[in-house]
Amino acid sequence: MNIEDVVEQMQVKLKKAFEAKVCSVTLLPTDLDPKKGNHHTIVPGGSEAKVYITIVSDEFEGLGLLQRQKKVYSLISEELDGPVHAVSSMVTSTPKEWDDALSADS
């Protein structure tokens, strides 16, 4: 299974487990192509990748940040033992927290 398939599998698993309103698992670009001026996801065989995770779910209501992250990590431990080396950034919000953050940015 290639890294993109693993990342997609993580996203499906998390969205289903948390009945998430928003669920995004994004592979961190691992190489910069200066000729094209942009990032490309290039994960050579045998290397490890990092991901960003964003989940918005009612399941996080009443939980602290650490409890939320532990729930997420428990679901993706298999992938973290495989080709995904680490979670570079994780956002775990309730729908209200997410809406409040979006309103504050406007």
Side-chain angles (χ1 to χ4, degrees):
M1 182 179 297
N2 68 34
I3 189 66
E4 288 83 6
D5 292 339
V6 173
V7 169
E8 183 177 338
Q9 174 181 313
M10 290 172 67
Q11 183 163 317
V12 169
K13 184 187 291 187
L14 292 170
K15 185 170 180 66
K16 182 178 178 184
F18 290 107
E19 298 178 4
K21 313 262 186 272
V22 174
C23 183
S24 172
V25 179
T26 307
L27 188 60
L28 212 64
T30 57
D31 192 28
L32 178 64
D33 184 345
K35 293 177 187 168
K36 295 184 180 178
N38 59 6
H39 290 280
H40 294 276
T41 303
I42 300 173
V43 184
S47 65
E48 297 170 326
K50 297 178 184 176
V51 294
Y52 291 120
I53 296 176
T54 302
I55 303 172
V56 178
S57 173
D58 290 320
E59 297 285 320
F60 296 131
E61 193 67 48
L63 298 179
L65 181 61
L66 187 57
Q67 291 171 308
R68 293 174 184 194
Q69 289 181 349
K70 283 182 177 182
K71 286 183 85 161
V72 173
Y73 279 118
S74 72
L75 291 167
I76 60 171
S77 61
E78 183 179 323
E79 290 84 356
L80 291 175
D81 285 339
V84 177
H85 172 66
V87 176
S88 184
S89 172
M90 184 187 304
V91 175
T92 54
S93 300
T94 65
K96 182 180 179 340
E97 291 167 343
W98 184 255
D99 290 343
D100 289 351
L102 290 177
S103 296
D105 287 343
S106 332

